[in-house]
């Protein structure tokens, strides 16, 4: 059997002060994925997500336009883990192997289920 997901990389040693990362080999492989979802499950997940968001706002004591603190978290992450400017470093791949990701998604619809959720 093949693994579901495989990521392989081999990076060469870099010279201090030279903003170039050299990878002799890089590979990303993923097996085909088949996902089948019933409408009942999808609607329950959406209902749960909606309920969770409402409860989170209530727990935080937020009104409609209140700040939830996400800007503060983003600023702190940027300060603690700064990303280099795009021109600061370059990546070079001698061999790059990417297999396309294939996901088959099927959705089973049911008018009975939809009517039941609409009436609640």
């Amino acid at each position: 059997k093949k693994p579901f997901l495989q990521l392989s990389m081999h990076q060469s040693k870099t010279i201090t002060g030279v903003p170039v990362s050299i990878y002799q080999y890089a590979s990303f492989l993923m097996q085909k994925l088949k996902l089948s979802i019933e409408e009942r499950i999808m609607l329950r997940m959406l209902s749960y997500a909606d309920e969770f968001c409402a409860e989170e706002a209530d727990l935080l004591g937020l009104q409609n336009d209140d700040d939830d603190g996400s800007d503060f978290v983003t600023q702190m992450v940027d300060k603690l883990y700064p990303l280099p400017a795009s021109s600061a470093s370059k990546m070079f791949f001698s061999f790059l192997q990417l297999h396309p990701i294939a996901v088959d998604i099927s959705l089973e619809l049911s008018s009975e289920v939809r009517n039941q959720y609409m009436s609640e």
Side-chain angles (χ1 to χ4, degrees), residues 46-90:
L46 291 172
S47 172
Y48 175 74
D50 185 48
E51 182 180 324
F52 176 77
C53 291
E55 286 180 8
E56 183 181 11
D58 287 343
L59 287 173
L60 293 173
L62 298 175
Q63 301 301 321
N64 290 340
D65 297 330
D66 286 350
D67 180 18
D68 64 354
S70 59
D71 290 337
F72 174 75
V73 172
T74 304
Q75 291 172 4
M76 292 307 294
V77 168
D78 289 344
K79 286 180 184 177
L80 293 172
Y81 306 104
L83 295 175
S86 60
S87 62
S89 64
K90 304 287 183 199

Side-chain angles (χ1 to χ4, degrees), residues 13-40:
K13 291 184 179 180
T14 57
I15 301 170
T16 306
V18 177
V20 177
S21 297
I22 299 174
Y23 295 90
Q24 296 300 325
Y25 175 82
S27 172
F28 179 79
L29 309 169
M30 183 174 168
Q31 297 297 320
K32 187 175 183 177
L33 175 68
K34 184 174 183 178
L35 183 63
S36 180
I37 302 173
E38 292 181 13
E39 186 175 18
R40 179 185 318 269

